[in-house]
Amino acid sequence: MKTASLYVHIPFCDTICRYCDFCKVYYDHRMADEYLEVLKEELKELKITDKLKTIYIGGGTPSSLTDEQLEFLFDMLKPYSQDVEEYCIEVNPESMDLFKLKILQRGGITRLSIGVQTFQDHLLKLIDRRHSSQQVLRLIRQARDIGFNNISIDLMYGLPEQTLADIQNDLEIVRNLDIQHVSYYSLILEDHTILKYQRYQPIDEETEYQINCCIDDTLKTCGYEKYEISNYARQGYASKHNLVYWHYDNYYGIGVGSASKIDDAIIEHSRSLTKYLNHTAQSHVIIQDKKETMFNHVMMSLRLTEGLNLEKFQDLYHEDVKNIYKQAITKNEKRGLLEIADGHLRTTEKGMYLLNDILVDFMDEKDW
């Protein structure tokens, strides 16, 4: 497969959120300058010659970089970003202003992904977020005013002390926003996070199901189509870069803690910033066998409401997914959790909520 997408990891953050297990460090100006220089070298070493379709700058908090550092980053990426279909950057409201928005615009950014998590200020404090709901609204308004027309926000449920009423209030605010995309994630209690150390108890499955139904129903009435288990978009505004992951296509990843997928190889970068800056970090290459690659393709694609493209699967692996996973598919069709239609294997609406259970059956398949 061609590789036409690039992920760029910026690990710096002004604060560390209590739920976050991404590769991140507190922002340091000198260290960020050094990091960008090493990142530039790594990008050159990739020797990208094919035209890229998407570039995604994530973190960490890319917007924690200074104006000059952002300009350096965009100059570095300019040879690869001229004709991309989508050029996205993650930003936090407290580290953005109108001048920085204009830097992003001049740099070619076409899509903003804003870390909001909730519009309830009392909950933001409990997870160590440093912005306010008013800062979010101002940022969206400023971005719209200067011409950004592809804006996404990240929201979360299952936060400490968060109630269903809080979630409903967040959804009502979304209803009145002029944005194109919403990602709505469940808080997952990861190792090495502050909430894990504090022994926070996540919500139970039944509560999560009720919240999911509320989110799905409300966002549908707001004009958003659910296209992935946690993502909703107005027509034509699904995340093109993230669809690369869910379709299990190839992508480059550069920066500390990032990963690339090139055909059957997963290339994982070290999470050690010190080693990265000293040019001593080594990537870990995992060569997947055919069965692993096919399962991962199925697992990622079943997250999508469109499901797994059966023809594409056949072309890539010269295998019929209906034969390989016959027992798992038949079992879950009978349960009303899977269906085959329009050349795709997909979950039903009910099955989307039980995806983990379905995937266990695919993992256990012994027919081939």
Side-chain angles (χ1 to χ4, degrees):
M1 284 191 289
K2 284 188 175 181
T3 306
S5 292
L6 172 68
Y7 172 78
V8 181
H9 191 74
I10 305 297
F12 302 104
C13 294
D14 294 319
T15 59
I16 303 298
C17 301
R18 297 192 181 193
Y19 54 82
C20 181
D21 75 329
F22 293 140
C23 184
K24 76 282 183 186
V25 295
Y26 283 107
Y27 175 82
D28 176 86
H29 190 280
R30 179 189 59 79
M31 194 178 294
D33 279 343
E34 291 180 19
Y35 182 83
L36 291 172
E37 291 289 353
V38 179
L39 195 69
K40 184 176 181 178
E41 293 177 27
E42 184 184 2
L43 181 60
K44 287 182 179 178
E45 290 170 2
L46 281 180
K47 295 181 171 59
I48 298 173
T49 55
D50 291 333
K51 175 183 172 182
L52 293 179
K53 292 184 178 180
T54 69
I55 298 177
Y56 191 104
I57 304 170
T61 310
S63 58
S64 67
L65 297 177
T66 65
D67 299 345
E68 293 76 18
Q69 288 167 342
L70 283 170
E71 288 173 338
F72 182 93
L73 176 62
F74 295 138
D75 285 344
M76 175 202 316
L77 293 169
K78 189 173 182 179
Y80 312 92
S81 65
Q82 296 300 296
D83 300 311
V84 293
E85 297 175 9
E86 181 182 274
Y87 193 3
C88 182
I89 189 170
E90 294 178 350
V91 301
N92 277 358
E94 72 275 13
S95 56
M96 289 298 298
D97 55 32
L98 182 58
F99 188 78
K100 192 172 279 190
L101 273 173
K102 291 180 178 179
I103 291 174
L104 305 190
Q105 191 176 53
R106 290 196 301 272
I109 293 295
T110 61
R111 183 177 188 267
L112 298 177
S113 178
I114 305 174
V116 177
Q117 317 322 335
T118 176
F119 290 97
Q120 312 308 306
D121 289 341
H122 66 290
L123 298 179
L124 289 169
K125 293 177 181 178
L126 295 178
I127 55 174
D128 292 333
R129 298 291 288 189
R130 297 301 172 89
H131 70 266
S132 68
S133 58
Q134 287 303 310
Q135 284 178 300
V136 177
L137 299 178
R138 181 170 63 247
L139 174 59
I140 292 173
R141 184 175 62 252
Q142 289 175 334
R144 297 293 303 174
D145 286 347
I146 68 170
F148 281 102
N149 61 4
N150 191 353
I151 300 173
S152 176
I153 64 171
D154 285 358
L155 293 171
M156 296 181 71
Y157 64 88
L159 299 173
E161 299 186 21
Q162 188 180 40
T163 66
L164 181 58
D166 290 323
I167 294 167
Q168 290 170 332
N169 288 337
D170 283 346
L171 288 167
E172 282 305 305
I173 292 174
V174 172
R175 185 187 298 276
N176 296 308
L177 292 178
D178 186 9
I179 59 173
Q180 289 65 48
H181 189 281
V182 179
S183 297
Y184 222 131
Y185 300 111
S186 169
L187 172 66
I188 298 175
L189 206 57
E190 302 283 7
D191 291 337
H192 313 299
T193 62
I194 297 172
L195 285 181
K196 182 79 172 209
Y197 291 133
Q198 293 175 336
R199 299 184 179 180
Y200 171 69
Q201 294 300 311
I203 57 177
D204 59 80
E205 289 185 5
E206 178 59 29
T207 301
E208 183 167 3
Y209 172 73
Q210 296 297 333
I211 291 173
N212 265 295
C213 290
C214 174
I215 293 169
D216 287 354
D217 293 344
T218 305
L219 289 179
K220 185 176 182 179
T221 67
C222 297
Y224 296 95
E225 177 185 356
K226 182 173 185 174
Y227 70 99
E228 192 268 346
I229 196 167
S230 301
N231 285 273
Y232 310 77
R234 298 195 186 280
Q235 187 172 6
Y237 287 96
S239 170
K240 293 181 179 180
H241 184 85
N242 287 334
L243 282 169
V244 170
Y245 302 145
W246 297 318
H247 288 150
Y248 214 53
D249 293 332
N250 284 354
Y251 54 89
Y252 299 111
I254 62 171
V256 63
S258 66
S260 302
K261 177 200 170 284
I262 310 297
D263 298 330
D264 61 352
I266 303 297
I267 306 159
E268 297 179 340
H269 286 50
S270 166
R271 291 171 66 101
S272 170
L273 181 58
T274 302
K275 290 182 178 179
Y276 186 80
L277 295 179
N278 290 333
H279 303 272
T280 57
Q282 294 198 354
S283 297
H284 180 51
V285 180
I286 303 168
I287 303 298
Q288 305 173 107
D289 62 28
K290 185 176 180 179
K291 185 173 183 179
E292 290 171 325
T293 303
M294 289 192 298
F295 171 76
N296 287 332
H297 191 157
V298 171
M299 175 180 66
M300 296 303 288
S301 292
L302 286 182
R303 294 180 60 91
L304 296 166
T305 54
E306 73 176 11
L308 173 72
N309 186 312
L310 299 179
E311 183 179 353
K312 178 181 178 181
F313 190 93
Q314 177 84 43
D315 290 343
L316 284 173
Y317 310 113
H318 308 292
E319 302 281 359
D320 186 339
V321 73
K322 300 189 295 295
N323 292 333
I324 297 173
Y325 298 110
K326 182 177 180 180
Q327 291 184 13
I329 292 172
T330 301
K331 173 183 175 180
N332 286 285
E333 281 182 319
K334 290 179 179 178
R335 296 171 66 197
L337 304 181
L338 283 179
E339 63 182 13
I340 295 176
D342 305 319
H344 287 74
L345 171 69
R346 63 170 68 100
T347 62
T348 61
E349 186 173 337
K350 178 183 178 183
M352 182 67 77
Y353 297 122
L354 298 171
L355 180 57
N356 288 340
D357 293 341
I358 295 171
L359 292 174
V360 169
D361 292 328
F362 278 80
M363 290 179 67
D364 292 340
E365 187 68 79
K366 300 291 195 300
D367 273 1
W368 68 288

